[in-house]
Amino acid sequence: MSETKSKTDPKILDKIRRTRNIGIMAHIDAGKTTVTERILFYTGRSHRLGEVHDGAATMDWMEQEQERGITITSAATHCIWKDHRINIIDTPGHVDFTVEVERSLRVLDGAVFVLDSVGAVQPQSETVWRQANKYEVPCMAFVNKMDKVGADFYNVVEELDEKLNANPIPIQIPIGAEADFQGVVDLINMQAIIWDDESLGAKYEVVEIPEDLKAKAQEYRAIMLEAVADQNDSLMEKYLMEEEISEEEIIEALREATIAKDVTPVMLGTALKNKGVQVLLDRVLDFMPNPLDIPPVKGIDPETEEEVKKAPDVNAPFSALAFKIMTDPYVGKLTFARVYSGRLEKGSYILNASTGNRERVGRLLEMHANDKKDLDYIQAGDIAAIIGIKEVHTGDSLCDPDHPVILEQITFPEPVIKLAVEPKTKADSEKLSTGLQKLAEEDPTFQVKTDHETGQTTIAGMGELHLEIIVDRLKREFKVEANVGAPQVSYRETVSKKVDHREIYKKQTGGRGKFADISFEMGPIEDFEDYDGNEDRITREEGFIFINEIVGGNIPREFIPSVMKGFQQALSGGIQANYSVENVGFRLYDGSYHDVDSDQLSFELCAKLGFRNAARKASPKILEPVMKVEIITPEEYMGDVIGDLNSRRGIMQSMDSNKEGSVVKAHVPLSEMFGYSTDLRSATQGRAVYSMEFHDYIEVPETLAQEIIEEQS
């Protein structure tokens, strides 16, 4: 960072140091949006307490969010706390909208991980924790709903350690629990904080630690100090010598360890009852990194293909990542971007390095949920929205036209469920097409395909709720009335046996003809992963390996990419049932060509035909998506729930119990889970809840595979 300091004006540096870019993330219903609402209230950003259950939360601004009481889209805002600017992204908890968490974490510097005091570490908690680890985002935990029946702070800490290996370090312990929850003991300064119920939590008292909690406070302070000393050699010496460690030293050591992802500080409160949020904000400033604490972001120079590092220097060339696209009915397309270096002024030109297009920036906006404020410029460390970029997708790199750079991409899961849509009237046809195109631009996990033979349009997404929201948005935002088919599963195909094949493509129609001849091996991808030849001859992509072993010019070098392209394109056409094929490897080892009749197209078509013919001999299989399902049910319904899962071809993983009831975990094919929420409610008198997320693709039983093939033929 020394280079940044030497170049940048001290005032600007201080502004960046006083910036925090954080996300609020959690399992559904843990209270993320309520925590964000309280943050906005106590920082003066909003002057009323928006409640999720009343449909009045500022951050849940979409009609669909207000009706369902859940967060669907990540919303950006900012607030000022103790002369620091905190940019906040409130992310969804429902697994169908996991893309919102993924793209938010890619551009954030830190995250507050909200946990339910009763549910503790739930399935989606594990998913978002994995996503945070993937992007190396430092986290602190906030145990919410301490006023709830069954609240157990210490159990949550234990699960953070056991299930997530988070190395949790409580920096507070509760004073009371459930209806008796009053406040917290701060282990850093060894004082108690009691909130005043009458002032909506705006006022609180710092008092002596209650007598009955002093021993426990000393015990947990010792645990905290030991953890802090473990991360810092000079403090370890003090700790071993039993010398006093100051509050400043503890905070500094915890900050370093949190940013290095070595520890997770744990706090607690109840956002709904207005307790714990102001102290959480204080510790966000103490422990969460500012943009200067984060290692420079890596990218590639598209011209030289060399690695480039972008430090948060406002004097360096501009670079930013577009992490979210949104269509606004009043201003058009909004591109949310995180600025990593440089400064961008409105009206200037930028390069979209991912598309190669030069674009003019119309306006720059500071966002507060769906409210906007115009800005003259944005700079390193900022998160803002840009208007004027016409052709842009999530994950595109925006930069100075004279200094192109492509930043690390965001990866998204493939959709697992699809359904057919058609306009109700001819007048709706064009509006449907426009609406679907705009929604697909916003959401990388939402895909639209049109079958050119039948003219049918299908939409694909991450789950039933995901597609339900899409159809609802088509109706409300784009005024499109559409007929919707029944949900269908996105199956996949693969091969299970290695085969050897020769394909000769020969076409003579007078004049110059077509000729290509290739010999190749094809089979399951794992049969090609341990190839010990020259690595330069291998192309590895997700679910695909191509090995080129052509020597001596049997096939000219310029035709080899065409063979690979032919194989890749053939994978999307399926083998038995027109579903895309994955996890396949190819080894091209021989062939021949004709001086006149051979060209790139001949070899591409030859590879497509070769794949189709070889695949039939390679024991093709149909794969289906299997979901990880967790159900919490009263014990008396346990037998009914398990029996029902068995009838759905579910494979039990575990049966347990916690304070909320009996917990059943199973792997169940997605095709068997349509309408499950209604069936579960009926079977348990509405008392059971479940969560579901994608687990893996596995082979479909032979009898079912035959039915799927017949349906598609």
Side-chain angles (χ1 to χ4, degrees):
M1 294 299 163
S2 56
E3 182 194 1
T4 306
K5 288 176 184 173
S6 64
K7 286 182 177 180
T8 308
D9 182 300
K11 284 183 183 173
I12 295 173
L13 260 182
D14 188 55
K15 185 184 172 187
I16 296 174
R17 272 198 206 96
R18 290 177 179 273
T19 298
R20 302 288 183 274
N21 292 315
I22 64 164
I24 311 288
M25 61 181 200
H27 182 89
I28 192 167
D29 280 343
K32 296 174 305 304
T33 301
T34 307
V35 169
T36 311
E37 292 295 323
R38 296 306 183 266
I39 288 173
L40 297 178
F41 179 73
Y42 293 124
T43 57
R45 193 73 183 83
S46 65
H47 301 290
R48 62 180 178 85
L49 288 171
E51 303 295 6
V52 175
H53 54 267
D54 294 338
T58 308
M59 302 304 281
D60 286 349
W61 56 270
M62 288 173 69
E63 289 176 27
Q64 294 87 347
E65 294 178 311
Q66 291 165 0
E67 288 168 2
R68 290 166 173 81
I70 61 169
T71 303
I72 290 167
T73 182
S74 52
T77 186
H78 74 279
C79 58
I80 305 297
W81 184 251
K82 296 189 175 174
D83 207 22
H84 285 68
R85 179 191 175 91
I86 305 175
N87 294 318
I88 302 170
I89 297 182
D90 175 31
T91 63
H94 196 287
V95 69
D96 281 16
F97 309 105
T98 189
V99 60
E100 295 288 342
V101 186
E102 186 87 22
R103 59 177 163 198
S104 300
L105 285 170
R106 169 64 181 80
V107 298
L108 290 169
D109 300 333
V112 175
F113 190 43
V114 181
L115 295 128
D116 185 310
S117 65
V118 180
V121 176
Q122 295 164 286
Q124 188 66 5
S125 312
E126 297 181 43
T127 304
V128 294
W129 186 260
R130 282 197 303 272
Q131 288 171 311
N133 281 341
K134 175 180 172 182
Y135 294 113
E136 296 183 349
V137 177
C139 295
M140 53 194 293
F142 181 73
V143 180
N144 194 25
K145 303 188 179 184
M146 281 301 298
D147 58 322
K148 194 173 168 184
V149 174
D152 188 340
F153 172 74
Y154 303 102
N155 177 57
V156 180
V157 173
E158 200 174 300
E159 288 204 4
L160 275 169
D161 193 31
E162 289 175 2
K163 291 187 177 179
L164 303 182
N165 199 21
N167 196 10
I169 307 298
I171 58 170
Q172 297 174 340
I173 60 170
I175 300 173
E178 302 181 353
D180 298 326
F181 177 69
Q182 296 173 288
V184 302
V185 173
D186 188 317
L187 302 174
I188 294 175
N189 56 31
M190 288 302 274
Q191 291 175 316
I193 302 169
I194 307 289
W195 274 269
D196 168 28
D197 289 329
E198 287 181 19
S199 68
L200 291 175
K203 294 178 185 171
Y204 55 87
E205 253 186 297
V206 178
V207 297
E208 280 278 310
I209 298 170
E211 205 60 46
D212 61 335
L213 276 175
K214 282 186 175 173
K216 193 154 208 166
Q218 287 295 350
E219 177 195 339
Y220 273 85
R221 179 175 166 87
I223 292 168
M224 179 189 73
L225 290 177
E226 190 176 331
V228 165
D230 268 350
Q231 308 298 328
N232 187 299
D233 290 343
S234 62
L235 291 191
M236 176 59 82
E237 200 174 316
K238 274 191 166 186
Y239 178 73
L240 293 173
M241 300 295 288
E242 297 185 0
E243 291 178 27
E244 187 62 35
I245 299 175
S246 71
E247 191 177 324
E248 291 74 21
E249 286 174 315
I250 294 170
I251 289 170
E252 188 52 41
L254 272 172
R255 176 181 175 77
E256 284 176 15
T258 304
I259 292 171
K261 282 192 70 65
D262 291 329
V263 302
T264 305
V266 187
M267 304 179 69
L268 61 111
T270 169
L272 189 64
K273 297 289 174 66
N274 315 305
K275 294 175 183 174
V277 176
Q278 300 99 318
V279 189
L280 173 65
L281 280 166
D282 289 342
R283 297 311 183 198
V284 162
L285 303 187
D286 287 338
F287 303 139
M288 290 285 94
N290 65 53
L292 297 173
D293 291 321
I294 300 300
V297 67
K298 292 177 184 174
I300 299 288
D301 183 323
E303 291 168 5
T304 64
E305 296 196 352
E306 290 178 2
E307 187 179 274
V308 179
K309 289 185 178 179
K310 292 288 184 181
D313 178 359
V314 294
N315 295 318
F318 172 75
S319 68
L321 188 78
F323 68 93
K324 182 177 169 73
I325 313 299
M326 197 174 100
T327 304
D328 186 282
Y330 303 107
V331 298
K333 189 186 287 187
L334 289 174
T335 303
F336 284 79
R338 160 69 195 262
V339 185
Y340 285 103
S341 66
R343 175 181 161 118
L344 177 68
E345 296 183 0
K346 66 178 182 183
S348 55
Y349 283 88
I350 57 169
L351 172 73
N352 182 337
S354 304
T355 63
N357 293 343
R358 198 165 179 264
E359 306 251 19
R360 186 176 179 273
V361 173
R363 291 165 65 193
L364 299 170
L365 300 176
E366 180 180 82
M367 299 299 294
H368 173 49
N370 63 332
D371 292 334
K372 310 162 198 72
K373 177 187 165 190
D374 276 280
L375 298 170
D376 292 326
Y377 66 90
I378 53 176
Q379 63 184 21
D382 286 345
I383 290 175
I386 304 172
I387 296 176
I389 308 177
K390 293 184 179 68
E391 194 182 325
V392 63
H393 303 94
T394 300
D396 281 1
S397 299
L398 312 175
C399 56
D400 183 320
D402 297 327
H403 299 87
V405 62
I406 295 178
L407 303 172
E408 187 187 345
Q409 281 284 350
I410 312 173
T411 54
F412 300 111
E414 283 290 309
V416 293
I417 181 174
K418 63 183 179 181
L419 49 82
V421 290
E422 59 179 39
K424 279 191 177 173
T425 66
K426 208 166 188 179
D428 283 323
S429 185
E430 197 172 318
K431 285 195 287 183
L432 176 68
S433 176
T434 304
L436 289 175
Q437 183 190 342
K438 287 185 175 176
L439 291 169
E441 280 178 1
E442 289 184 21
D443 184 349
T445 59
F446 171 61
Q447 293 179 1
V448 182
K449 286 184 182 172
T450 303
D451 187 316
H452 295 293
E453 289 180 16
T454 64
Q456 187 184 56
T457 299
T458 58
I459 57 176
M462 300 307 295
E464 284 183 277
L465 180 61
H466 187 193
L467 295 184
E468 186 188 313
I469 298 292
I470 292 284
V471 172
D472 197 34
R473 288 186 65 192
L474 277 173
K475 189 175 179 179
R476 294 193 199 195
E477 292 173 35
F478 299 97
K479 309 292 185 261
V480 177
E481 291 294 333
N483 294 319
V484 180
Q488 298 172 302
V489 175
S490 288
Y491 293 100
R492 298 277 191 272
E493 299 189 55
T494 193
V495 295
S496 57
K497 187 173 82 176
K498 190 191 269 191
V499 293
D500 207 311
H501 184 76
R502 182 183 183 191
E503 188 72 30
I504 299 173
Y505 176 66
K506 199 172 184 180
K507 205 168 187 183
Q508 201 69 45
T509 52
R512 186 174 172 181
K514 297 279 183 196
F515 180 84
D517 170 18
I518 58 173
S519 293
F520 63 92
E521 262 190 338
M522 183 187 93
I525 197 167
E526 52 269 22
D527 291 348
F528 297 86
E529 283 174 338
D530 295 332
Y531 178 71
D532 58 0
N534 187 339
E535 276 293 320
D536 292 342
R537 291 182 164 271
I538 306 177
T539 301
R540 300 177 194 270
E541 292 177 10
E542 186 72 36
F544 173 82
I545 287 180
F546 176 75
I547 300 167
N548 167 27
E549 280 192 349
I550 296 297
V551 289
N554 290 4
I555 299 174
R557 189 182 301 164
E558 64 268 24
F559 297 153
I560 304 295
S562 300
V563 176
M564 184 173 83
K565 184 182 174 186
F567 286 145
Q568 285 175 311
Q569 289 183 348
L571 294 179
S572 62
I575 304 168
Q576 300 170 286
N578 301 322
Y579 292 109
S580 63
V581 184
E582 60 180 33
N583 296 333
V584 182
F586 298 87
R587 182 176 70 89
L588 178 67
Y589 63 84
D590 201 2
S592 64
Y593 71 102
H594 188 276
D595 284 335
V596 176
D597 293 348
S598 290
D599 59 12
Q600 291 176 332
L601 183 59
S602 300
F603 276 92
E604 189 180 313
L605 293 170
C606 186
K608 286 181 181 176
L609 283 170
F611 168 77
R612 206 170 299 156
N613 293 325
R616 293 192 190 106
K617 303 184 289 185
S619 297
K621 303 288 181 190
I622 306 248
L623 305 173
E624 65 179 339
V626 169
M627 312 305 282
K628 188 160 66 174
V629 180
E630 180 171 308
I631 300 130
I632 300 173
T633 175
E635 197 173 337
E636 60 262 37
Y637 301 113
M638 182 93 150
D640 292 340
V641 167
I642 291 170
D644 181 55
L645 289 174
N646 286 333
S647 72
R648 295 172 189 268
R649 296 192 285 127
I651 298 168
M652 292 302 132
Q653 299 300 307
S654 68
M655 284 167 270
D656 213 339
S657 61
N658 66 17
K659 292 189 175 182
E660 293 188 297
S662 297
V663 182
V664 180
K665 293 183 182 179
H667 292 163
V668 191
L670 174 62
S671 60
E672 304 287 350
M673 290 299 289
F674 294 139
Y676 183 65
S677 55
T678 306
D679 294 345
L680 183 66
R681 276 199 298 270
S682 303
T684 63
Q685 297 182 6
R687 292 170 66 193
V689 293
Y690 84 103
S691 63
M692 179 170 81
E693 64 178 299
F694 174 71
H695 171 60
D696 201 2
Y697 273 93
I698 66 164
E699 191 180 323
V700 171
E702 194 59 45
T703 51
L704 192 59
Q706 224 30 63
E707 285 177 28
I708 294 165
I709 293 164
E710 284 166 18
E711 272 177 29
Q712 291 294 311
S713 59

